[in-house]
Each structure stands twice: as C-alpha cells, then as structure tokens.
Amino acid sequence: MAGRRGALIVLEGADRAGKSTQAKRLVEALKERGYKAEGMRFPERTTEIGKLVGSYLEKKSNLEDHTVHLLFSANRWEQVPLMKEKLRSGVTLVVDRYAFSGVAFTSSKKDFSLHWCKQPDIGLPKPDLVLFLDISPEAAAKRGDFGNERYETSDFQKKVQKRYAELMEDRSLNWEMIDAAQSMEDVHSAIRQMSEDIIEQAKDQPIGKLWI
Ligand code: ADP
Ligand code: FDM
Ligand code: MG
C-alpha cells in the first residue's frame, strides 16, 4: 500500500552493551525478512560537524562543553532531511545512539541540567522504539577494557547510567529494556521481535516529534 513509512528504531545503552553489534545484526535480519532497513549512527563522524565531534572524542581537540553539546545535536539535525526521506520511502532506520546519548552524557557533566540538555534536540524525528541495552559495569568490563576516548571512565559511565534511568521515566516514549548480558543470539531475537512488531504498528502513523 502506498504511504507506508518505515520505523525509527534507536539503540541506547552503556559502553560495550552491544549496541553496534546488535544494530548491524538487526538491519541484516530485517532485510533477510524482506523489510527495507538501513543503519545509522550518532555521532555521524564523516560530516564537517561530525569531524569536529570525532576529534573531540579522540581528545585531539578541546571544545567548550556547551559548544560540543550543540555540535552533537547539530550532527543529528543535519541528518533529519535524509532520515525523513528514508522513513517516508518505507525504510526502517536502525540508529546506534541518538538524542538520549546526547542528554545522558552532557548532563553528567558538572552544572548541566537534564532540562537544558534536551532543548536543542526537541522536535527531532521521534523514535517509534528505543531499545535500552542494559548491562552492569561488571559484565561490560568482561567484554574488554575501556578505549582511550573521552568519557570512557567508570566514574563518568556511572553518572551516565543514572541519567539514562531518568530519561526512561518519560512514558511518552516507547522504551524497552533488554537484558544485554544475555548471549548475542538471545539479545538479537528479543530486539528483532520487538522491531518487527513496531514496524507493523508505525507504518500508518505520522512521524512524531521528540519531546513535544
Ligand atoms: P557498544 O556499541 O554498545 O559499545 P559493541 O557492539 O561494540 O558495544 O560490543 C562491545 C564488545 O562486546 C564487542 O567485542 C562485542 O563483540 C562484544 N559483545 C557484544 N554483545 C555481546 C554479548 N551479548 N555477549 C558477549 N559479548 C558481546
Ligand atoms: N555521545 C554521543 C555524546 O556525548 N553525545 C551525543 O549526542 C552522542 C550521540 O560519544 F561516548 C558520546 C557517547 C560516546 C561517544 O561513542 C560515541 P561510540 O563508541 O561511537 O558510540
Ligand atoms: Mg558502539
């Protein structure tokens, strides 16, 4: 039927929870099942803004905290025309991190409120489903050490987890908590089923606006 749109599915969660692994597998599985599906990630480090953010994360440059927050948000907004075009043409987008990462990370810095951090992302395409891959710091540690990027310390990640928990209290969003300590296969089956259900539910609905 004409006019059926794809779903916007976001993966969030702590470092090494399995977001990138699962995003890739989900796209492949959806395609095998005959859905149109594509992956995206934030930050999208290949654009001009994304290069500034990438260099900041790699600690090759320093940026003022408000400034980098706005750049992360701008890095999402610059993809919005493309996201809407894809969704409207029936492509389901599987997104590795989104505005929730933006808010959880910046609001873990000193003197940043959740309220302030949300403002620049208000009105972005609203995810139909946000899959939160839940893992304890101990279980994540078994998957390897932190890398060398900014924010990759256990103190900071603990603060981020608390901020995610606050964001998940917002019932206007469709959060699903997944036990990410399960095997890759079990996590995959769970999120594939939820994703197929949401694709069916979202297909005749307009694209929503985040936090409006
Ligand atoms: P994230 O993108 O959330 O940081 P990754 O997908 O990069 O996480 O996974 C981090 C590491 O953990 C990778 O080495 C990956 O192979 C491994 N991994 C991912 N999911 C699982 C799982 N369910 N069980 C065990 N190891 C996993
Ligand atoms: N991050 C990511 C932010 O601080 N703000 C954002 O808006 C987004 C999308 O960037 F530390 C942080 C979260 C993480 C880093 O790491 C991206 P990965 O490994 O590429 O997901
Ligand atoms: Mg990743």
Side-chain angles (χ1 to χ4, degrees), residues 15 19-21 96-97:
D15 192 41
K19 299 177 297 298
S20 301
T21 306
D96 184 353
R97 294 192 186 275

Side-chain angles (χ1 to χ4, degrees), residues 5-18:
R5 72 161 173 97
L8 180 57
I9 300 172
V10 168
L11 285 114
E12 289 281 2
D15 192 41
R16 289 163 296 168

Side-chain angles (χ1 to χ4, degrees), residues 31-86:
K31 287 205 284 201
E32 274 167 24
R33 284 170 166 70
Y35 296 98
K36 288 196 270 182
E38 289 181 27
M40 291 186 84
R41 74 223 55 78
F42 291 109
E44 172 49 70
R45 300 189 196 210
T46 59
T47 68
E48 290 304 311
I49 295 169
K51 284 176 196 159
L52 293 173
V53 164
S55 151
Y56 172 82
L57 287 171
E58 290 168 33
K59 300 185 205 161
K60 289 179 180 157
S61 64
N62 284 316
L63 289 166
E64 192 276 331
D65 290 326
H66 300 79
T67 310
V68 77
H69 182 72
L70 297 173
L71 288 175
F72 272 113
S73 177
N75 183 239
R76 285 183 278 281
W77 280 108
E78 65 180 343
Q79 299 298 324
V80 168
L82 181 66
M83 290 172 77
K84 287 187 171 168
E85 189 187 309
K86 300 252 185 215

Side-chain angles (χ1 to χ4, degrees), residues 83-97:
M83 290 172 77
K84 287 187 171 168
E85 189 187 309
K86 300 252 185 215
L87 291 169
R88 287 184 181 132
S89 71
V91 176
T92 285
L93 294 176
V94 175
V95 185
D96 184 353
R97 294 192 186 275

